[in-house]
Amino acid sequence: MLRIPRFSLATWILISMALGLSLGLSAPGWAERIEFVSDLFLRLIRSIIAPVLVGVLIRAIAGAGSLGALGRLGWKSAVCFEVATTIALLLGWFSVMATRPGDGLVVGTADAAGIDGPAGLAETLESAVPTSIVDALARGDVLQIVVFCFLFGIACLSVGSKARPVVDFADALAEVALRYTDYVMYLAPLAVLAASANMVAGAGIGGLGGLAEFAAVAWLAQGLFLGVLLTGGLFLCGVPVRRFARFVREPFLVGFATTSSAAALPQTLENLQRFGVPRRVLGVVAPLSLSLNLNGSTIHLGMATLFIAQAAGVELSWERQAVILLTLKLTSKGVAGVPRANFVILAAVFEGHGLPMEGLGVLLGIDALIDPIRTSVNVASHCSAPVMVARWEGCEFLPEQIRE
């Protein structure tokens, strides 16, 4: 009896990507006939964007603890996180802007993307504030949903224990929405096949070069952040970098092999304590970092968004770029430890800013090639943040030192 090999979803997606590329090159006429599969997949993804955003953002902000309990460690952590994620987002964005890997692809068109004319700063800020969250949810206005969820999450955080039922509801909503997404992802291999076939049918062999270039630029940007910016930040803080690298090596490799930040968490906590991070610092900063300090994911969000805009031939004004970057900055806070959450966040940003949703299938197809290094950079960031905050608190990290 013939037994079909049991591959992981990532493996099936890679196989489907290869089949789609071959189909697009050898039989481009078939690409149009199977395009409806990709459309069905994208409609299902659109249906879950609002619940995912509401659940994960409120859970991430409101579940961070209480404002009073966080105190000095909380605001120091927030400073480290915001500086790091801002640099990461800009690094990803300008890496694609400088190399332009999307120019050789054809994913949608500028007309199909529906980009409006540039708005002034005052108009942009005004349009970001919702008058009704129900109206924003019904229209799928991503920026308004994000702004509301952030303010609502902060309000829950300030109320404290009285907001527990609301936070529990957000947590349940996030879990259900993400399980729904898991079911939708069973259609992902077929959607990737259809999307990649259409992309290559339109761009020809040049499309393959664009995908390879994007993957190479992604690895380069992640490596630059890890080897230069993150290492340089540790050095400037006075952290013994070589000794730190020995303690971080194990969780870093676990993240690379499993593509899961959560899988590396036990080794992260144990090794950082052995390195000399006090428990009082580790207990506050490490959980916050899992939700608010995902630099690898933030780099990827910026790169993927501009990559698809280039492939669609969409010229973004500086005003629109600023709004997209702000949206990415806020939505990146909700991707903590959630499988394929990057993809759902990108779907939300594309939907809210008029970028062609067809690009999601192309991004999903090559995601397995980028995910290992992206996750490893996330893990390295989770390791670095408690060390930097502890150094800010005056810790010296002497050999064999363990502080209570």
Side-chain angles (χ1 to χ4, degrees):
M1 181 178 178
L2 180 63
R3 297 184 62 182
I4 300 176
R6 298 185 63 180
F7 298 132
S8 66
L9 179 61
T11 302
W12 279 116
I13 288 175
L14 283 174
I15 293 172
S16 300
M17 182 73 171
L19 292 174
L21 296 176
S22 301
L23 181 63
L25 290 173
S26 60
W30 275 92
E32 295 183 2
R33 299 185 183 183
I34 63 174
E35 187 177 6
F36 75 95
V37 179
S38 179
D39 293 338
L40 288 175
F41 176 74
L42 294 176
R43 288 175 70 90
L44 289 171
I45 288 295
R46 283 191 179 104
S47 70
I48 201 61
I49 286 174
V52 167
L53 286 178
V54 172
V56 298
L57 288 177
I58 293 179
R59 180 177 68 176
I61 302 302
S66 67
L67 291 175
L70 294 181
R72 184 180 69 252
L73 291 176
W75 73 258
K76 287 183 177 180
S77 301
V79 170
C80 290
F81 299 161
E82 293 311 305
V83 170
T85 54
T86 300
I87 293 173
L89 181 60
L90 293 177
L91 173 63
W93 188 268
F94 286 109
S95 295
V96 174
M97 181 179 289
T99 57
R100 301 196 65 86
D103 285 348
L105 276 70
V106 178
V107 178
T109 64
D111 292 334
I115 298 294
D116 299 326
L121 179 60
E123 182 182 348
T124 299
L125 293 176
E126 183 179 355
S127 65
V129 179
T131 56
S132 167
I133 186 57
V134 177
D135 175 63
L137 291 170
R139 291 185 294 104
D141 192 317
V142 175
L143 188 56
Q144 290 190 5
I145 295 173
V146 170
V147 170
F148 174 85
C149 289
F150 254 75
L151 294 176
F152 194 83
I154 292 173
C156 291
L157 189 62
S158 65
V159 169
S161 60
K162 292 182 180 180
R164 189 71 256 172
V166 178
V167 179
D168 289 341
F169 171 77
D171 184 59
L173 177 62
E175 292 299 324
V176 173
L178 292 167
R179 180 59 58 87
Y180 177 101
T181 304
D182 287 340
Y183 296 149
V184 173
M185 292 302 292
Y186 285 118
L187 190 59
L190 293 177
V192 168
L193 191 153
S196 56
N198 273 279
M199 184 269 295
V200 174
I205 196 69
L208 300 179
L211 291 177
E213 185 179 355
F214 176 73
V217 173
W219 274 76
L220 181 62
Q222 299 282 358
L224 179 64
F225 183 87
L226 180 65
V228 177
L229 298 176
L230 201 59
T231 303
L234 291 168
F235 180 79
L236 291 176
C237 290
V239 177
V241 176
R242 288 188 178 181
R243 183 168 176 266
F244 173 78
R246 291 200 303 269
F247 282 85
V248 172
R249 179 175 54 193
E250 183 182 3
F252 181 88
L253 292 176
V254 169
F256 188 92
T258 63
T259 65
S260 171
S261 299
L265 182 59
Q267 291 89 347
T268 298
L269 297 177
E270 179 183 352
N271 287 9
L272 288 182
Q273 187 174 335
R274 289 172 50 217
F275 179 71
V277 178
R279 290 180 181 177
R280 63 181 180 84
V281 175
L282 196 59
V284 172
V285 182
L288 290 176
S289 182
L290 288 175
S291 297
L292 307 177
N293 189 40
L294 294 108
N295 296 312
S297 297
T298 305
I299 291 171
H300 181 72
L301 290 174
M303 293 188 67
T305 302
L306 187 55
F307 173 67
I308 294 302
Q310 291 175 356
V314 176
E315 293 296 331
L316 299 173
S317 65
W318 286 105
E319 293 89 348
R320 184 165 293 278
Q321 289 185 50
V323 174
I324 291 176
L325 287 170
L326 175 62
T327 306
L328 290 170
K329 185 74 166 61
L330 296 177
T331 52
S332 68
K333 304 304 180 186
V335 300
V338 178
R340 293 173 294 279
N342 274 292
F343 182 75
V344 179
I345 295 300
L346 284 172
V349 173
F350 286 14
E351 178 80 359
H353 293 280
L355 297 177
M357 297 289 285
E358 295 86 349
L360 295 174
V362 176
L363 291 171
L364 186 60
I366 60 173
D367 190 68
L369 302 176
I370 304 171
D371 199 11
I373 185 63
R374 181 177 68 218
T375 304
S376 296
V377 172
N378 283 338
V379 172
S381 300
H382 300 329
C383 294
S384 301
V387 171
M388 289 184 177
V389 174
R391 188 70 186 89
W392 198 346
E393 287 284 291
C395 297
E396 295 297 334
F397 306 122
L398 299 175
E400 307 303 325
Q401 173 189 18
I402 300 179
R403 294 176 181 260
E404 296 296 326

